[in-house]
Amino acid sequence: MSITHEDIALVLSDALQNEQLDEALATLKGLRPVDIADALELVEPELAWGLLTRLPDRAEVYAYFGPDEQVRLAQEFPAEVLAQLVSEMPSDERTDLFKRLAPEQQGRLLPALAKVEREDIRKLASYQEGTAGALMTSDYAMLRADMNVGQALHALRLEAPDAETIYHSYVVGEERKLLGVVSLRDLILADPSTKISDLMTEEVISGEVSEDQEDIARRITRYDLLALPITDGHGCLVGIVTHDDAMDVVSEEATDDFHKSAGVTTSVGNLKDAAIGLLYRKRVFWLVLLVFGNLFSGAGIAHFEDIIAANLVLVFFLPLLVDSGGNAGSQSATLMVRAMATGEVVIKDWLKLLGREATVALLLGCTMAVAVALLGFIRGDSMVALVLALSMVTIVMVGCVIGMSLPFILSKFNLDPASASAPLITSVCDAAGVVIYLYIAAQLLDEVSIV
Amino acid sequence: MSITHEDIALVLSDALQNEQLDEALATLKGLRPVDIADALELVEPELAWGLLTRLPDRAEVYAYFGPDEQVRLAQEFPAEVLAQLVSEMPSDERTDLFKRLAPEQQGRLLPALAKVEREDIRKLASYQEGTAGALMTSDYAMLRADMNVGQALHALRLEAPDAETIYHSYVVGEERKLLGVVSLRDLILADPSTKISDLMTEEVISGEVSEDQEDIARRITRYDLLALPITDGHGCLVGIVTHDDAMDVVSEEATDDFHKSAGVTTSVGNLKDAAIGLLYRKRVFWLVLLVFGNLFSGAGIAHFEDIIAANLVLVFFLPLLVDSGGNAGSQSATLMVRAMATGEVVIKDWLKLLGREATVALLLGCTMAVAVALLGFIRGDSMVALVLALSMVTIVMVGCVIGMSLPFILSKFNLDPASASAPLITSVCDAAGVVIYLYIAAQLLDEVSIV
């Protein structure tokens, strides 16, 4: 868009300060809820709240506010205004908000809601974060198998205002048992007298409430679905996950893995707004762990002190050799972690991939060995060059094998493969690298001094 | 699903070897195209091809084959069979396939296609990879503003078989000028006599053919769209990008950035099928660069040779200090790269974020300094501990500032911020770290020896 949210916010502030509500509303005319939310978040809270409640699609706009704004706003509203707003929200976002509210606010809100909404919130809030249940909405379109197309379209017209999507309707029987799915496309193409039971697809792709949200998102992507029906343990329909929620999951999970790859533990939310303390806590763990992990490399160095003293040239290449293992290993780990995240690679592929990884590592190691041997020859002698070449090949291969195996080992123990982060690989490869390097040096360079 | 694609493939192979085509078809009954494709890819090509052409949704199944399978298959088919299949494919996937075919195959295919399809392919194939034009499909539903709802629904029933989605129809005027959008939901809720011009939304969120596919995907996510209309320079509708294609883009781009973060240049496709040579080429660049990058750290070490010889204890901590800068820097870079990729952070935020980053780095550095000083005191003396502490704080701060700034600098020069990879940061921070560490040591430890 040409005009920014800052511009809109300025216009709004002016209008509202002069109590020209209609002007303010006119400014927002034709803007999408997410844009209105972004603009309103920049306006003086007191002014924004008055305007929000007068917007036709206020619930949608409110749903697009950041979590903190939503809660702050919720505290200011009188209970019935909040209840009104909340009852207009999609059931999944309504539940997310409810979970964020302080207990006393929850107590204030619940009585003001209609019984059906109260129970809906209680039910949805009971599902564990990160599962299909916590992601799904209960605002879906339902049909009965014995309806004909005409009746179905009539029913959908009634459900349309509340349902998140009417483009796919779910056909249910006794106790909401999921029997089939029918698309609005098929409905408007079919003859009005056709029975839904003859029109519906009976092989429904669905998910279960307890499933991981990543698996749900992956299924929606794989089958290019608009929404995935979610059933309880008994195959009864309890909600749907829509494609846009799945897309958010895909993006969030990618961000999490991305951060983990650099040893940033768990999500930091929007980086721009992240507090210093939060960023510190998220990052310090691996860094400090690495410091102590170095006890091992240090011990290794101490053990080979004499050979170092006798051949100080070895020190020139210590950082290089140590890093090379870590870098090559991180590459392997990153490739594996992402492939496991997108489902390209599963745990049983490990052995199959190990052989290929070793070959790639050998090639990489040899190439780097040539390069480092060159430097070694310039700075030292042919013997040093040999030590460096041998060490490089070994270290890179060890690094790659560790890097590619670690994600598998982690997920074998039901840990997140993405925890196989660069810092972790680096610490492990450091110790290994130092020992390999100096051990090889000790063997070869000792012999030399004897000759 | 309980039964795997391997199971299905086995059953198919048996049936096909005994020429029981109907049995084979029965096995695939009720399976989704993507699942059929996965199973068929495991079956003997000759057998699979015969079956594919007899499937009702063969075009969809074929579209789900891997790029290489598609091309291999295309070579075997007689021109008219291929043309038949291709004409049934969605226009965007049809074009992708066409681009992959060898020139002679393209020459074989084109004449067998209907004129309109030929031109459609030529047009779509002309757009540059990675742009909206290359991503979009021309199978969209179009309406005229002067139609009424009844006529519109009738028109959609006719368009439905070919359009990728009829849930949003685009209202166009002269020369396909995009005037508005109307959802099928609104259409079935509206009175049949309502004019489309009164029903349609005139503020259409759209994209331009030349836009980057990442921006297109981001817009679809932001506004939770089912599809985004794509216009040429003059605001005329030329195609749509659907939500499922956008979702694939989001996932691909995440994978690319993820790989770049570990210095794996550009995509390797499906990791499981990636060839050894490919993996080698994608990974070797940064690793070898790092080796030569080490010339600087090496020079640094050489410059301080005496102080090292006099205080060998310094060597114990060399790998640690060098890594710490690289790790902290990689964290900063990763946070920035991902935030820029998701659009949370833009280039003008740099200065704003720099201050905060420095503070976080200072805290991280101090924490790590305490840890390393402890080790230094155990292994050396209080003076060594001091050297280590000072060096650690400085190195971590330098590392973080480099790490967070590099992505901004890169995108300032229109390079991909994701190229600020761990190996790059490591090489830069290595050299800086060595010099800082040994310089500080030279200052402090010299004094000591004088005393």
Side-chain angles (χ1 to χ4, degrees):
Chain A
M1 286 184 294
S2 49
I3 54 164
T4 69
H5 303 124
E6 286 78 3
D7 305 334
I8 304 170
L10 281 178
V11 181
L12 283 181
S13 304
D14 289 357
L16 290 169
Q17 258 137 11
N18 314 332
E19 280 157 354
Q20 297 161 319
L21 255 177
D22 303 346
E23 303 240 341
L25 287 170
T27 334
L28 298 178
K29 175 107 183 51
L31 285 181
R32 293 294 185 291
V34 59
D35 293 324
I36 299 179
D38 283 2
L40 276 181
E41 282 190 301
L42 301 172
V43 174
E44 272 297 302
E46 303 71 45
L47 298 175
W49 302 336
L51 186 58
L52 175 66
T53 49
R54 280 174 185 69
L55 291 170
D57 46 10
R58 51 183 177 265
E60 261 187 287
V61 174
Y62 181 66
Y64 276 116
F65 278 144
D68 308 345
E69 269 70 18
Q70 281 189 3
V71 173
R72 186 142 44 78
L73 219 58
Q75 288 162 337
E76 303 300 326
F77 282 134
E80 55 281 1
V81 176
L82 179 62
Q84 174 62 28
L85 203 59
V86 164
S87 63
E88 291 170 11
M89 290 171 79
S91 67
D92 51 348
E93 291 172 349
R94 179 166 61 198
T95 311
D96 294 340
L97 167 66
F98 181 78
K99 285 194 206 150
R100 285 192 213 100
L101 293 176
E104 63 270 26
Q105 288 176 297
Q106 295 179 339
R108 211 161 54 87
L109 174 60
L110 276 182
L113 288 172
K115 183 159 176 298
V116 50
E117 284 160 352
R118 276 205 304 278
E119 281 163 0
D120 183 61
I121 288 182
R122 283 221 188 78
K123 194 154 84 285
L124 286 181
S126 68
Y127 296 112
Q128 200 195 335
E129 270 312 313
T131 66
L135 195 64
M136 71 189 185
T137 173
S138 47
D139 305 328
Y140 48 85
M142 245 184 340
L143 297 173
R144 284 198 329 282
D146 55 15
M147 288 175 162
N148 66 33
V149 169
Q151 295 165 317
L153 282 171
H154 179 70
L156 284 184
R157 289 197 181 88
L158 302 180
E159 293 193 41
D162 300 324
E164 274 212 15
T165 177
I166 59 165
Y167 297 137
H168 285 91
S169 313
Y170 301 95
V171 186
V172 296
E174 290 298 301
E175 296 162 333
R176 299 201 163 189
K177 185 77 92 184
L178 182 60
L179 302 178
V181 60
V182 58
S183 74
L184 184 56
R185 186 185 195 131
D186 297 338
L187 286 176
I188 69 158
L189 288 177
D191 178 281
S193 63
T194 316
K195 277 256 167 297
I196 292 301
S197 49
D198 303 331
L199 194 64
M200 69 185 186
T201 312
E202 283 171 22
E203 299 80 11
V204 189
I205 299 168
S206 66
E208 281 207 8
V209 274
S210 55
E211 274 187 284
D212 185 321
Q213 62 176 10
E214 266 187 275
D215 300 328
I216 297 297
R218 217 173 282 144
R219 204 164 306 148
I220 290 177
T221 318
R222 174 175 172 83
Y223 296 105
D224 297 338
L225 302 172
L226 287 179
L228 185 76
I230 305 296
T231 61
D232 60 15
H234 318 295
C236 298
L237 186 63
V238 288
I240 62 170
V241 172
T242 52
H243 68 94
D244 48 322
D245 294 338
M247 204 154 173
D248 296 340
V249 170
V250 169
S251 178
E252 283 163 26
E253 299 285 354
T255 303
D256 278 4
D257 290 356
F258 207 59
H259 288 172
K260 285 200 190 116
S261 73
V264 180
T265 53
T266 74
S267 158
V268 294
N270 185 320
L271 183 63
K272 216 157 134 191
D273 317 333
I276 288 176
L278 178 69
L279 283 170
Y280 170 80
R281 283 196 306 282
K282 298 299 182 194
R283 295 175 54 176
V284 74
F285 175 74
W286 280 112
L287 295 178
V288 170
L289 191 81
L290 178 60
V291 174
F292 288 102
N294 179 261
L295 277 170
F296 299 102
S297 358
I301 295 173
H303 178 77
F304 292 103
E305 190 161 358
D306 312 342
I307 190 80
I308 298 173
N311 309 272
L312 260 187
V313 64
L314 293 176
V315 179
F316 301 150
F317 299 98
L318 192 56
L320 167 61
L321 287 173
V322 156
D323 283 341
S324 302
N327 282 321
S330 309
Q331 285 188 335
S332 315
T334 303
L335 287 168
M336 286 303 148
V337 167
R338 183 61 186 166
M340 290 171 102
T342 55
E344 275 171 36
V345 166
V346 292
I347 200 149
K348 69 172 163 57
D349 298 322
W350 176 71
L351 210 69
K352 206 187 312 165
L353 294 175
L354 184 61
R356 190 189 60 182
E357 182 65 23
T359 323
V360 175
L362 182 63
L363 293 173
L364 291 171
C366 293
T367 319
M368 296 161 77
V370 173
V372 73
L374 202 74
L375 301 182
F377 189 75
I378 296 164
R379 206 180 281 284
D381 55 30
S382 58
M383 214 51 205
V384 171
L386 179 61
V387 169
L388 291 172
L390 288 178
S391 312
M392 182 61 94
V393 177
T394 325
I395 288 173
V396 168
M397 287 195 67
V398 170
C400 287
V401 170
I402 293 174
M404 75 100 38
S405 306
L406 209 48
F408 286 98
I409 295 166
L410 286 169
S411 67
K412 186 87 191 160
F413 292 105
N414 297 320
L415 297 165
D416 183 349
S419 317
S421 60
L424 174 59
I425 307 271
T426 313
S427 350
V428 178
C429 294
D430 272 12
V434 165
V435 174
I436 293 169
Y437 176 39
L438 296 177
Y439 176 79
I440 292 178
Q443 303 311 313
L444 295 177
L445 299 183
D446 276 349
E447 283 165 21
V448 171
S449 53
I450 291 158
V451 175
Chain B
M1 285 184 295
S2 48
I3 53 164
T4 71
H5 302 125
E6 287 76 3
D7 305 335
I8 304 170
L10 280 178
V11 181
L12 283 182
S13 303
D14 288 357
L16 290 169
Q17 259 137 9
N18 315 333
E19 281 157 353
Q20 298 161 319
L21 255 177
D22 302 347
E23 303 241 341
L25 287 170
T27 334
L28 298 177
K29 176 107 182 47
L31 285 180
R32 292 294 184 292
V34 59
D35 293 325
I36 299 179
D38 283 1
L40 277 181
E41 283 191 302
L42 300 173
V43 175
E44 272 296 302
E46 305 71 46
L47 298 176
W49 302 334
L51 186 57
L52 175 67
T53 49
R54 282 175 184 68
L55 292 171
D57 46 9
R58 52 182 176 266
E60 260 187 285
V61 174
Y62 181 64
Y64 276 116
F65 277 144
D68 308 344
E69 269 74 16
Q70 281 188 2
V71 173
R72 186 144 44 81
L73 218 57
Q75 289 162 336
E76 304 298 326
F77 281 133
E80 55 281 1
V81 176
L82 180 60
Q84 174 62 27
L85 204 58
V86 164
S87 63
E88 291 169 13
M89 289 170 80
S91 68
D92 50 349
E93 290 172 350
R94 179 167 61 197
T95 311
D96 293 341
L97 167 66
F98 181 79
K99 285 193 206 153
R100 284 192 215 103
L101 293 176
E104 63 270 25
Q105 287 176 298
Q106 295 179 340
R108 211 160 57 88
L109 173 61
L110 275 181
L113 287 172
K115 182 158 175 299
V116 50
E117 284 160 353
R118 274 205 306 277
E119 281 162 0
D120 184 62
I121 287 181
R122 281 219 189 78
K123 193 153 86 289
L124 287 181
S126 67
Y127 297 111
Q128 200 195 332
E129 269 313 312
T131 66
L135 196 64
M136 72 188 185
T137 173
S138 47
D139 306 328
Y140 49 86
M142 247 184 336
L143 296 173
R144 286 197 328 283
D146 54 15
M147 288 176 162
N148 65 32
V149 169
Q151 297 165 316
L153 283 171
H154 179 70
L156 285 184
R157 289 198 181 87
L158 302 179
E159 291 192 43
D162 301 323
E164 274 212 14
T165 176
I166 58 166
Y167 296 139
H168 285 92
S169 313
Y170 302 95
V171 186
V172 296
E174 290 298 300
E175 296 163 333
R176 298 199 164 191
K177 184 79 88 183
L178 183 60
L179 303 177
V181 60
V182 59
S183 73
L184 185 56
R185 183 184 196 133
D186 297 338
L187 285 175
I188 69 159
L189 288 177
D191 177 281
S193 62
T194 316
K195 279 256 167 296
I196 293 300
S197 48
D198 303 331
L199 194 65
M200 68 184 187
T201 312
E202 284 171 21
E203 300 81 11
V204 189
I205 298 167
S206 66
E208 282 207 5
V209 274
S210 55
E211 274 188 284
D212 185 323
Q213 61 176 12
E214 263 187 281
D215 301 327
I216 298 296
R218 216 174 282 145
R219 205 164 305 146
I220 290 178
T221 318
R222 174 175 172 82
Y223 297 104
D224 297 339
L225 301 172
L226 286 180
L228 185 77
I230 305 296
T231 61
D232 61 16
H234 318 294
C236 299
L237 187 62
V238 288
I240 63 169
V241 172
T242 52
H243 68 94
D244 49 322
D245 294 337
M247 203 154 173
D248 296 341
V249 169
V250 168
S251 177
E252 282 163 26
E253 299 286 354
T255 303
D256 278 4
D257 290 357
F258 207 60
H259 288 171
K260 286 201 188 111
S261 73
V264 180
T265 53
T266 74
S267 158
V268 293
N270 184 321
L271 183 63
K272 214 157 135 192
D273 318 333
I276 287 175
L278 177 70
L279 284 170
Y280 170 80
R281 285 196 305 282
K282 299 300 181 193
R283 294 174 56 175
V284 74
F285 175 75
W286 279 112
L287 294 178
V288 170
L289 192 81
L290 179 62
V291 174
F292 288 101
N294 179 260
L295 278 170
F296 299 102
S297 357
I301 295 174
H303 178 76
F304 292 103
E305 189 160 359
D306 312 343
I307 188 81
I308 297 173
N311 309 272
L312 260 187
V313 64
L314 292 176
V315 180
F316 301 149
F317 299 98
L318 192 56
L320 167 61
L321 287 173
V322 155
D323 283 341
S324 301
N327 282 322
S330 310
Q331 285 187 335
S332 313
T334 303
L335 287 169
M336 287 302 148
V337 167
R338 183 60 185 169
M340 290 171 104
T342 54
E344 278 170 35
V345 166
V346 293
I347 200 150
K348 68 172 165 55
D349 298 323
W350 176 70
L351 210 68
K352 206 188 314 167
L353 294 174
L354 183 60
R356 190 188 61 180
E357 181 66 23
T359 322
V360 175
L362 182 62
L363 293 173
L364 291 172
C366 292
T367 319
M368 295 162 78
V370 173
V372 74
L374 202 75
L375 300 181
F377 189 75
I378 295 165
R379 206 181 280 284
D381 55 30
S382 57
M383 215 51 206
V384 172
L386 179 60
V387 169
L388 291 172
L390 290 177
S391 312
M392 183 60 94
V393 176
T394 324
I395 290 173
V396 168
M397 286 196 70
V398 170
C400 287
V401 170
I402 294 174
M404 75 106 26
S405 306
L406 210 47
F408 286 98
I409 296 166
L410 286 169
S411 67
K412 187 89 192 157
F413 292 105
N414 297 322
L415 297 166
D416 183 348
S419 317
S421 60
L424 175 58
I425 307 269
T426 312
S427 350
V428 178
C429 294
D430 272 11
V434 166
V435 174
I436 294 169
Y437 175 39
L438 295 177
Y439 176 79
I440 292 178
Q443 302 311 311
L444 295 177
L445 298 182
D446 276 349
E447 283 165 24
V448 172
S449 53
I450 292 158
V451 175

